[in-house]
């Protein structure tokens, strides 16, 4: 038994572990910087401020890591569907027993100890997908199997949208990256990208008349080029009418969204529409990052940070603190750590000896990649503000613990791969 444990420890991917702790502690230092007050400085270990509270959460994360690493790797596979069903029940109960903040019911708990079930449900969904899709007969090109996978994925999405929490719900769609690896037909991705591009075009063009004029102009060009066959003109006309109808439908859907979500979409396409109102967060975020220059202003020297120009700077906008105080260089280091982590996880996923571990590994990659890309894009104005934290970096217990468990279950599965049955395909 001792020898078996030693072998597992020797197989732990320590590069992933090192990067994890590097990101966690860099994030912790930046959380302190985000709440630092030069007029009344406090120790970063002070439990009355965010950095002290986050240190406790980091300590709990270490305990969670130890528990995961000493557990039998089969535990996660055998209980995956039960874990999924448990969190589905919790998500159903959340609107009734949860705490409402800003019109959203996102957390449950007792007293000051609260968690966001939506964060942990990502982990449960990844485990359930891996369990269902691991069967040798499962084929992502078959409609029945596709419906099973979609059902597992979309059930928590629907429940989270009821809270409502659009940002967290969006994260689940990142698992289509895993579906792609497992053979989901490429044509659907091309179609999906086309709809996303058309949606962005529809939102970006203020008057749908311009879209219609553009389509007519393309038709005229085709005719002048000799493309006069009626079949092509009719086909293009139908496509054009479909595009216009879709554009109006997108406008209709957006008009039914809550006002704050409409404002976030407006700011994406026109950041200067209301720089002192709805555009404040993004405008100040870009100022903070841009003012850092090449090397930054220095640790605890960020003026945007000190004077609280950027709201939620210790959570969703934590990247602003990094950019302002450590500049382009510091930002590049952190981005490099995330990219290295993701590349390493891909290598780990591809070397697994069964489908469960590989599929779960790609779910981990998909979730981390989505959070990493969207959070940074959000802070520099390339994506609407949707409240997505930067993994291992942002302040908060639920996100840190959920990401930690998500990652280290995969580290555990990878370290035990020599003991797993070969069910890879």
């Amino acid at each position: 038994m001792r020898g078996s444990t030693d072998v597992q420890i020797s197989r732990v991917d320590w590069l992933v572990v090192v990067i994890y702790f590097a990101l966690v502690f860099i994030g912790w230092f930046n959380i302190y910087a985000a709440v630092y007050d030069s007029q009344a400085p406090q120790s970063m270990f002070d439990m009355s401020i965010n950095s002290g509270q986050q240190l406790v959460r980091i300590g709990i994360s270490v305990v969670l890591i130890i528990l995961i690493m000493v557990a039998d790797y089969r535990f996660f596979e055998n209980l995956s569907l039960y874990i999924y069903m448990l969190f589905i029940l919790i998500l159903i109960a959340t609107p009734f027993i949860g705490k409402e903040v800003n019109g959203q019911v996102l957390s449950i708990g007792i007293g000051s100890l609260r968690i966001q079930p939506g964060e942990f449900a990502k982990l449960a969904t990844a485990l359930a997908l891996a369990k269902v899709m691991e069967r040798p007969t499962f084929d992502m090109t078959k409609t029945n199997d596709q419906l099973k996978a979609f059902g597992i994925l979309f059930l928590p999405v629907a429940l989270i949208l009821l809270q409502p929490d659009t940002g967290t719900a969006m994260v689940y769609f990142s698992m289509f990256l895993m579906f792609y690896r497992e053979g989901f037909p490429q044509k659907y991705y091309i179609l999906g990208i086309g709809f996303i591009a058309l949606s962005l075009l529809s939102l970006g063009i203020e008057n749908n008349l311009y879209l219609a004029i553009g389509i007519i102009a393309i038709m005229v060009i085709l005719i002048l080029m000799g493309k006069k066959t009626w079949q092509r003109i009719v086909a293009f006309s139908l496509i054009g009418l479909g595009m216009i109808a879709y554009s109006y439908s997108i406008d209709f859907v957006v008009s039914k969204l809550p006002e704050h979500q409409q404002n976030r979409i407006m700011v994406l396409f026109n950041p200067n529409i209301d720089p002192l109102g709805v555009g404040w967060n993004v405008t100040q975020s870009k100022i903070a990052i841009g003012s850092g220059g090449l090397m930054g202003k220095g640790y605890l020297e960020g003026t945007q940070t000190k004077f609280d120009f950027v709201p939620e700077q210790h959570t969703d906008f934590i990247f602003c603190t990094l950019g302002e105080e450590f500049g382009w260089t510091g930002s590049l280091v952190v981005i490099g750590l995330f990219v290295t982590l993701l590349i390493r996880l891909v290598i780990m996923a591809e070397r697994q000896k069964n489908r469960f571990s590989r599929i779960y590994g790609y779910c981990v990659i998909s979730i981390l990649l989505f959070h990493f890309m969207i959070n940074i894009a959000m802070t520099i104005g390339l994506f609407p503000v949707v409240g997505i934290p930067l993994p291992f970096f942002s302040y908060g217990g639920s996100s840190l613990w959920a990401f930690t468990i998500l990652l280290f279950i995969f580290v555990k599965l990878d370290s035990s791969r020599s003991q797993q049955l070969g069910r890879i395909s």
Side-chain angles (χ1 to χ4, degrees):
M1 186 72 178
R2 180 181 174 83
S4 174
T5 303
D6 290 342
V7 170
Q8 289 187 35
I9 291 175
S10 68
R11 287 181 174 273
V12 170
D13 198 298
W14 290 105
L15 177 59
V16 169
V17 177
V18 169
I19 293 175
Y20 164 82
F21 279 106
L23 289 171
V24 166
F25 281 101
I26 294 174
W28 179 54
F29 278 99
N30 278 275
I31 289 169
Y32 177 64
V35 299
Y36 177 74
D37 184 356
S38 59
Q39 302 300 318
Q42 294 171 281
S43 168
M44 62 196 313
F45 300 97
D46 192 329
M47 292 295 112
S48 66
I49 61 175
N50 290 338
S51 59
Q53 296 165 12
Q54 188 71 0
L55 185 61
V56 173
R57 295 176 176 131
I58 293 171
I60 294 174
S61 297
V62 173
V63 174
L64 292 172
I65 292 170
I66 294 172
L67 292 175
I68 291 170
M69 297 308 293
V70 299
D72 191 315
Y73 72 90
R74 289 166 293 194
F75 170 84
F76 307 106
E77 181 176 356
N78 294 339
L79 295 182
S80 56
L81 293 179
Y82 297 104
I83 295 171
Y84 176 76
M85 288 186 287
L86 172 63
F87 275 97
I88 291 299
L89 292 174
I90 294 174
L91 287 175
I92 292 172
T94 297
F96 303 100
I97 64 174
K99 180 180 179 181
E100 182 175 341
V101 179
N102 297 326
Q104 295 177 303
V105 184
L106 305 181
S107 64
I108 61 173
I110 301 174
S112 60
L113 179 60
R114 312 197 69 82
I115 64 167
Q116 294 183 11
E119 295 292 335
F120 294 93
K122 301 171 195 172
L123 157 69
T125 303
L127 287 170
L129 284 170
K131 182 63 177 178
V132 170
M133 295 174 65
E134 74 164 342
R135 299 194 312 273
T137 56
F138 192 95
D139 187 349
M140 277 302 291
T141 62
K142 296 179 179 178
T143 303
N144 287 340
D145 288 337
Q146 291 172 1
L147 292 176
K148 292 175 185 176
F150 293 161
I152 291 172
L153 181 64
F154 292 136
L155 180 55
V157 170
L159 295 173
I160 290 170
L161 285 174
L162 292 175
Q163 295 180 0
D165 185 4
T166 307
T168 300
M170 289 174 58
V171 177
Y172 288 79
F173 290 94
S174 69
M175 295 188 209
F176 272 87
L177 176 62
M178 178 274 290
F179 288 160
Y180 181 79
R181 171 61 181 84
E182 295 304 313
F184 189 60
Q186 188 177 25
K187 61 183 178 181
Y188 295 118
Y189 289 91
I190 296 173
L191 183 64
I193 292 171
F195 274 113
I196 292 172
L198 182 57
S199 300
L200 292 174
L201 181 64
S202 301
L203 293 170
I205 297 177
E206 295 183 3
N207 192 332
N208 285 315
L209 176 63
Y210 298 149
L211 182 61
I213 292 173
I215 293 171
I216 294 172
I218 294 174
M219 289 181 62
V220 171
I221 292 172
L222 287 175
I223 293 173
L224 293 177
M225 292 176 63
K227 308 293 184 181
K228 297 183 179 181
T229 57
W230 68 269
Q231 295 96 333
R232 294 186 180 183
I233 294 176
V234 170
F236 193 82
S237 298
L238 292 175
I239 293 172
L241 290 172
M243 290 173 65
I244 295 172
Y246 183 73
S247 177
Y248 275 103
S249 68
I250 288 294
D251 290 343
F252 175 78
V253 171
V254 170
S255 69
K256 299 301 180 182
L257 292 174
E259 184 177 357
H260 71 279
Q261 293 183 353
Q262 293 185 44
N263 291 337
R264 290 171 179 176
I265 294 173
M266 291 165 53
V267 169
L268 174 65
F269 293 99
N270 186 3
N272 298 319
I273 191 170
D274 186 8
L276 298 180
V278 297
W280 175 265
N281 285 22
V282 174
T283 300
Q284 296 303 318
S285 172
K286 291 192 288 187
I287 291 174
I289 294 172
S291 66
L294 179 63
M295 301 301 294
K297 298 176 180 176
Y299 188 54
L300 305 181
E301 297 298 325
T303 53
Q304 296 292 111
T305 296
K306 280 183 180 180
F307 299 109
D308 297 324
F309 281 104
V310 184
E312 307 299 331
Q313 194 159 337
H314 59 296
T315 53
D316 300 338
F317 284 86
I318 189 69
F319 192 76
C320 301
T321 306
L322 176 73
E324 182 179 19
E325 299 193 344
F326 294 95
W328 182 87
T329 304
S331 301
L332 183 63
V333 169
V334 170
I335 291 173
L337 286 172
F338 273 109
V339 172
T340 303
L341 174 63
L342 291 166
I343 292 173
R344 190 63 190 171
L345 291 176
V346 171
I347 294 171
M348 289 167 59
E350 289 298 326
R351 72 188 182 194
Q352 297 308 302
K353 294 187 176 182
N354 66 38
R355 293 188 73 182
F356 178 87
S357 298
R358 184 186 69 196
I359 292 168
Y360 179 77
Y362 270 100
C363 287
V364 175
I365 294 164
S366 302
I367 293 169
L368 293 180
L369 176 63
F370 187 88
H371 270 269
F372 162 63
M373 291 180 60
I374 297 302
N375 179 271
I376 293 179
M378 188 176 71
T379 60
I380 58 178
L382 296 180
F383 198 86
V385 178
V386 290
I388 290 181
L390 189 59
F392 316 122
F393 218 83
S394 295
Y395 173 81
S398 292
S399 62
L400 176 60
W401 297 332
F403 284 129
T404 298
I405 297 171
L406 180 78
L407 177 64
F408 277 89
I409 286 178
F410 186 44
V411 172
K412 174 63 179 182
L413 292 172
D414 178 68
S415 69
S416 306
R417 64 186 182 278
S418 63
Q419 302 172 18
Q420 300 172 17
L421 295 175
R423 300 194 303 274
I424 196 79
S425 63

